[in-house]
């Protein structure tokens, strides 16, 4: 079965330090992977995606993610965290099997807290 | 500007009083979907639509209805709301063939008392 796991409910990091938010996935075919961010009282905003090609994907607000096929992971990273990065982060994978309505399969989210 | 518009943003209603949450997108996307977000449960898909007049159940469809009469609109209908439908609701759209990202509305916080 297709699935996404975000093993950490919460990540705490000091401002200026690097951050990593973890995501692992399970799909039968090729994974199309996405990261979204949700700020309080807002909708989800797209950060970045991996479809094919370079394993290191760069996205909005200085975020990047590394696709690792052997470890079935797609961890979100940022070299230097900002207090304003504090938010809820969701990883998602697109199920490319047309029989599964091409739906997005979501992780449960990771709350990132960046401390001043 | 590409966007998904949901209304209302906040709604408090009483048990059993029918309500509709509207969703409209201006990107000509084929695919639209409704999610509910509850603490600890992430995003759960309620209903989705692959195109006009094509809708199907998601993971938690009980107590909800949808329609897709036009490509841009995908309203969510609660015929007889109950307190367990108190939640944060999101509408999303994307173009599946183009492998584009999904666009989300701002959310509707519904409270059923």
């Amino acid at each position: 079965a297709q699935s996404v796991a975000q093993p950490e409910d919460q990540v705490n990091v000091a401002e200026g330090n690097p951050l990593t938010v973890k995501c692992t996935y399970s799909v039968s075919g090729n994974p199309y992977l996405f990261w979204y961010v949700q700020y309080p009282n807002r909708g989800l905003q797209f950060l970045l995606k991996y479809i094919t090609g370079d394993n290191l994907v760069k996205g909005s607000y200085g975020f990047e993610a590394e696709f690792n096929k052997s470890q079935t992971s797609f961890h979100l990273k940022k070299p230097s965290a900002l207090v304003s990065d504090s938010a809820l982060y969701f990883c998602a994978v697109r199920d490319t099997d047309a029989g599964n309505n091409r739906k997005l399969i979501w992780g449960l989210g990771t709350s990132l807290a960046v401390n001043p | 500007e590409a966007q998904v518009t949901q209304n209302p943003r906040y709604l408090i209603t009483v048990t059993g009083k029918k309500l509709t949450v509207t969703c409209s997108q201006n990107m000509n996307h084929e695919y639209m979907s409704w999610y509910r977000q509850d603490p600890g449960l992430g995003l759960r898909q309620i209903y989705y639509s692959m195109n006009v007049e094509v809708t199907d159940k998601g993971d938690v469809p009980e107590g909800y209805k949808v329609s897709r009469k036009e490509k841009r609109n995908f309203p969510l209908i609660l015929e007889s709301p109950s307190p367990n439908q108190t939640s944060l609701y999101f509408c999303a759209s994307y173009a599946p063939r183009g492998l584009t990202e999904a666009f989300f509305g701002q959310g509707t916080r519904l409270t059923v008392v």
Side-chain angles (χ1 to χ4, degrees), chain A residues 1-3 26-30 32 93-106, chain B residues 31-33 35 45 47-50 54-59 94 96:
Chain A
Q2 331 285 354
S3 65
S26 174
V27 295
S28 54
N30 292 321
Y32 298 140
V93 64
R94 178 86 64 83
D95 186 344
T96 56
D97 182 346
N100 288 323
N101 86 55
R102 297 193 178 93
K103 67 187 290 184
L104 279 166
I105 299 159
W106 296 88
Chain B
Y31 189 105
M32 297 187 74
S33 180
Y35 296 92
Q45 190 181 51
Y47 267 93
Y48 65 94
S49 170
M50 299 286 279
V54 180
T55 64
D56 210 343
K57 297 176 181 178
D59 300 316
Y94 61 87

Side-chain angles (χ1 to χ4, degrees), chain B residues 23-65:
Chain B
C23 174
S24 180
Q25 51 97 0
N26 62 1
M27 295 162 281
N28 203 37
H29 285 163
E30 297 91 349
Y31 189 105
M32 297 187 74
S33 180
W34 276 102
Y35 296 92
R36 59 178 290 173
Q37 183 181 18
D38 301 289
L41 298 177
L43 289 166
R44 294 182 291 170
Q45 190 181 51
I46 302 170
Y47 267 93
Y48 65 94
S49 170
M50 299 286 279
N51 216 322
V52 175
E53 302 292 0
V54 180
T55 64
D56 210 343
K57 297 176 181 178
D59 300 316
V60 288
E62 293 78 19
Y64 304 95
K65 286 176 57 177

